[in-house]
Amino acid sequence: MARTGATLYGRAGSPSVQGVLEKMSTEQHEVDVVVVGAGFAGLYLLHRCRGLGLSAVAIEVGDDVGGTWYWNRYPGARCDIESLEYSYSFDPDLQQEWQWSERYATQPEILRYLGHVADRFDLRRDIRFGTRVTGATYDEARGRWEVATDGDASFDAQYVVMATGCLSSAMLPDIPGRDDFEGLSLHTGRWPHEPVDLTGMRVGVIGTGSSAIQSIPIIAEQADHLTVFQRTATFAVPAHNRSLDPDEIAAIKGDYDAFRDANRQANAAFGARVPLAGLTMGEMDDDDRRKALDSAWEWGGLPYVGVFTDVLLDPASNEVAAGYVRDRIDEIVTDPEVAARLKPDQVVGCKRLCVDTGYYATYNRPNVSLVDLRETPIEAIDATGIRTTAEHHDLDCIVFATGFDAMTGSILKIDVRGRDGRPLADAWEAGPRTYLGLAVAGFPNLFTVTGPGSPSVLTNMVMSIEQHVELITDTMAHLRDEGLTTIEADESAQDEWVDYVNAVAGLTLFPTCNSWYLGANVPGKTRVFMPLPGFPGYVQQCEQVVADGYRGFALT
Ligand code: FAD
Ligand code: NAP
């Protein structure tokens, strides 16, 4: 069996694309904007910058566009927000012409879509692939950023935009002996590009988050035996995925703008058409509650946490919604002991709800076993498998479905230095601090897309990305048109914003479990609830900040 440590980190840049940029490769390049990343955010940023007459380059460590959808090629990977919503809205022709085939598009289909967007708007010529941004230093005297890469080019830019992704820094757990394993080691977020055939293998999956829940049913079909190592049991609600009905597509495309607007008014910027009652649990009698739960389960997916309006606010309401899922697990899983281990005991929706296709039923297969790490923790990985306190599991392949250093991981891997050479890592030592999730005091002309302190990962990310990209690029155009060069968040506005985000999160049940929203999955990471619940309110606040002459920012 080949050692596959290299596959954990993906492939290097492709020569064909690199060739286009070869001529710019030895010197420092002056641009208005350096965009870091070429996923949904980076692509739209490039397009908007060009449209506004700003020169921009995107730098991407992967060898093609796609971001999340370039890296996460594990079996079963697909979106958990419906395809007709999880797509750009900025171009009417694009959204009319692109045909999604399934309710929840697969990773290859989303990657094709992003490739199509890159070609359609001729974006690749301004993307430097296979190149990692390693540092960004603000030169106060010149009011410019010096951007360093691991290649032989560096960049001198007025603005730097971190489109580095909230879930792009894959996490391998610090399990003793992890690198001693001699079989196939894979991380879901760095899945190889070439097909992986697990047929006949003894596979171990560590983790039971969304990536695991999507891949486990498919791996179980291929593997000789699958052992799932579960630390925290997970709530999963069925996707009820299906081919999209042409009439349904036509109805939405008939007035796509209205559909998009309705979703932007929804708390998480998606799901406006879901037939939910819009009542708190206490406003319903037992019959109505049961009907609401059945109907939310039948609709499927993430909208389940909206079955009552107070699911994420009131522990009693949450317990009813959580209890319903536990009952369903009992119905689906035939072995009562396995069902008991699969039943989560935390608040539903506190960790991101998983959207599954046959996840719980997979445990009825004779070739699947579940190890509860709370009963028998992992002691070590060795050359031939995983040893728990109870036994040794012989494995040919270990799949690390162990998630990401979310929201801050990829930004902090870059040596970002602002005024007085201050590292961003110092400014964020006690957790990330931003104004509007967009800007950081002491770091002029640096923007983060869907950064901590914005609704970000609690929403349909494409809607959040579009809103941020438009705000950021409109701001750059405003500065140019006003003869200004610099924008910087005020420390006091930032302090108030951080307090506000903490206060809003504190009204919810989100901070009650060890989620990645809190940074709890990364040993040593300061626990701060990073995203801001509530998309429409946030957008209004951004609009008001702009209407008030960029209140909370210093423009010079
Ligand atoms: P990304 O797509 O993560 O792109 C960031 C890019 O920056 C990456 O390509 C990375 O290589 C590059 N980069 C990072 N650091 C550097 C550096 N130093 N130098 C150069 N390049 C760098 N969200 C939803 O709303 N709905 C979903 O259904 C959904 N499904 C998801 C499924 C999976 C498996 C995962 C992991 C996430 C999912 N998300 C979903 C969240 C998803 O990340 C966002 O929806 C969206 O794709 C983010 O786009 P982005 O451009 O901001 O970041
Ligand atoms: P995740 O939700 O963070 O799940 C990681 C899993 O690995 C958890 O079960 C975690 O257990 C476990 N784990 C981590 N370290 C471990 C260790 N040392 N020992 C044992 N178990 C360990 O990561 P993810 O599944 O990759 O998903 C991340 C996010 O990406 C999702 O929440 C979602 O936003 C997005 N995503 C979406 C989809 C989709 O459906 N479209 C699919 C994949 C990802 P604990 O819970 O105990 O920490």
Side-chain angles (χ1 to χ4, degrees):
M1 194 70 57
R3 286 272 338 242
T4 53
T7 60
L8 290 169
Y9 302 101
R11 300 186 303 177
S14 102
S16 57
V17 180
Q18 289 298 84
V20 179
L21 292 153
E22 205 63 47
K23 61 182 184 308
M24 346 172 356
S25 67
T26 49
E27 53 198 58
Q28 194 182 56
H29 310 285
E30 275 195 28
V31 285
D32 294 326
V33 188
V34 163
V35 172
V36 191
F40 267 103
L43 292 178
Y44 187 34
L45 274 160
L46 261 190
H47 178 62
R48 283 282 296 197
C49 284
R50 268 195 206 158
L52 292 166
L54 297 160
S55 62
V57 62
I59 304 171
E60 167 57 60
V61 70
D63 66 7
D64 203 352
V65 300
T68 288
W69 304 102
Y70 168 90
W71 295 109
N72 290 266
R73 297 169 188 245
Y74 60 84
R78 50 176 81 239
C79 54
D80 60 5
I81 307 254
E82 299 196 29
S83 320
L84 285 155
E85 301 181 37
Y86 188 70
S87 46
Y88 291 117
S89 68
F90 71 81
D91 187 89
D93 293 337
L94 170 66
Q95 70 177 5
Q96 284 297 334
E97 287 165 25
W98 184 263
Q99 297 296 331
W100 292 109
S101 62
E102 291 178 66
R103 182 180 184 189
Y104 296 102
T106 59
Q107 172 271 331
E109 189 169 4
I110 303 172
L111 189 58
R112 269 202 306 283
Y113 169 75
L114 289 168
H116 167 81
V117 170
D119 292 339
R120 185 178 184 115
F121 299 107
D122 189 19
L123 300 176
R124 283 193 169 88
R125 68 183 153 92
D126 286 325
I127 308 175
R128 180 169 283 252
F129 292 106
T131 306
R132 179 179 292 280
V133 170
T134 52
T137 303
Y138 186 65
D139 178 342
E140 287 192 60
R142 296 190 308 119
R144 309 269 303 175
W145 282 93
E146 290 164 6
V147 179
T149 72
D150 65 356
D152 42 15
S154 61
F155 298 83
D156 180 276
Q158 186 179 355
Y159 300 101
V160 172
V161 189
M162 294 296 176
T164 41
C166 293
L167 295 159
S168 54
S169 190
M171 281 265 305
L172 285 169
D174 250 342
I175 298 172
R178 187 192 72 208
D179 297 335
D180 297 340
F181 184 58
E182 288 178 358
L184 184 61
S185 270
L186 302 165
H187 189 290
T188 48
R190 289 291 179 273
W191 202 263
H193 291 203
E194 50 284 356
V196 178
D197 184 4
L198 301 174
T199 309
M201 287 197 193
R202 297 160 301 173
V203 180
V205 173
I206 303 180
T208 50
S210 301
S211 304
I213 260 76
Q214 287 188 328
S215 54
I216 281 169
I218 296 172
I219 294 175
E221 283 169 14
Q222 295 176 4
D224 178 51
H225 191 88
L226 168 63
T227 309
V228 178
F229 296 86
Q230 168 189 280
R231 188 165 67 181
T232 309
T234 306
F235 287 102
V237 170
H240 302 307
N241 190 36
R242 54 179 163 74
S243 298
L244 277 171
D245 173 1
D247 291 342
E248 180 184 2
I249 298 176
I252 288 172
K253 289 192 172 176
D255 196 352
Y256 220 146
D257 287 346
F259 180 75
R260 297 291 197 180
D261 283 345
N263 281 312
R264 283 193 198 93
Q265 292 312 312
N267 200 41
F270 71 92
R273 71 185 172 133
V274 184
L276 296 169
L279 299 171
T280 64
M281 192 267 286
E283 288 169 323
M284 298 183 190
D285 62 24
D286 282 352
D287 255 17
D288 287 340
R289 278 178 207 152
R290 180 72 203 190
K291 278 184 201 144
L293 288 159
D294 285 343
S295 126
W297 185 265
E298 280 319 308
W299 183 275
L302 297 177
Y304 183 80
V305 289
V307 61
F308 314 125
T309 51
D310 54 357
V311 165
L312 284 164
L313 300 172
D314 175 12
S317 171
N318 193 283
E319 185 46 35
V320 173
Y324 182 90
V325 181
R326 292 188 198 111
D327 291 347
R328 289 291 190 152
I329 296 171
D330 271 333
E331 283 166 29
I332 298 167
V333 180
T334 47
D335 180 335
E337 276 182 29
V338 176
R341 288 196 194 107
L342 285 170
K343 280 192 261 182
D345 54 13
Q346 74 272 17
V347 154
V348 63
C350 180
K351 293 188 179 212
R352 188 184 176 92
L353 186 66
C354 296
V355 180
D356 79 294
T357 298
Y359 172 64
Y360 294 124
T362 298
Y363 292 92
N364 295 335
R365 295 175 63 102
N367 70 332
V368 176
S369 42
L370 177 67
V371 175
D372 186 339
L373 298 179
R374 288 198 286 194
E375 292 166 10
T376 55
I378 295 177
E379 283 186 341
I381 295 176
D382 59 24
T384 57
I386 295 178
R387 194 176 71 242
T388 68
T389 50
E391 61 183 308
H392 186 274
H393 298 266
D394 294 338
L395 299 169
D396 304 307
C397 171
I398 299 177
V399 175
F400 293 92
T402 44
F404 302 88
D405 181 355
M407 301 200 75
T408 56
S410 288
I411 299 176
L412 290 177
K413 278 184 181 161
I414 301 170
D415 183 12
V416 181
R417 289 171 187 259
R419 285 195 190 282
D420 305 320
R422 187 177 190 207
L424 183 64
D426 280 7
W428 283 7
E429 201 180 0
R433 298 183 75 76
T434 70
Y435 181 41
L436 299 170
L438 273 174
V440 186
F443 296 80
N445 290 5
L446 175 81
F447 292 103
T448 51
V449 182
T450 61
S454 73
S456 184
V457 289
L458 298 178
T459 66
N460 172 359
M461 287 287 279
V462 186
M463 293 300 99
S464 280
I465 286 169
E466 287 191 328
Q467 187 255 342
H468 263 191
V469 168
E470 285 161 20
L471 181 53
I472 291 167
T473 50
D474 286 350
T475 300
M476 292 171 181
H478 171 79
L479 261 71
R480 179 192 58 194
D481 297 347
E482 296 296 315
L484 301 165
T485 55
T486 311
I487 181 165
E488 181 177 355
D490 294 337
E491 193 89 45
S492 56
Q494 178 170 287
D495 289 346
E496 275 176 35
W497 187 256
V498 171
D499 290 347
Y500 170 72
V501 174
N502 286 333
V504 175
L507 297 172
T508 72
L509 301 175
F510 278 123
T512 62
C513 67
N514 293 326
S515 69
W516 58 257
Y517 298 136
L518 269 172
N521 62 327
V522 182
K525 189 166 175 174
T526 309
R527 279 183 176 232
V528 175
F529 190 79
M530 293 182 282
L532 168 71
F535 182 76
Y538 171 79
V539 175
Q540 269 175 19
Q541 298 197 59
C542 289
E543 287 169 356
Q544 198 55 53
V545 162
V546 174
D548 295 346
Y550 289 89
R551 175 171 37 83
F553 288 102
L555 274 58
T556 50

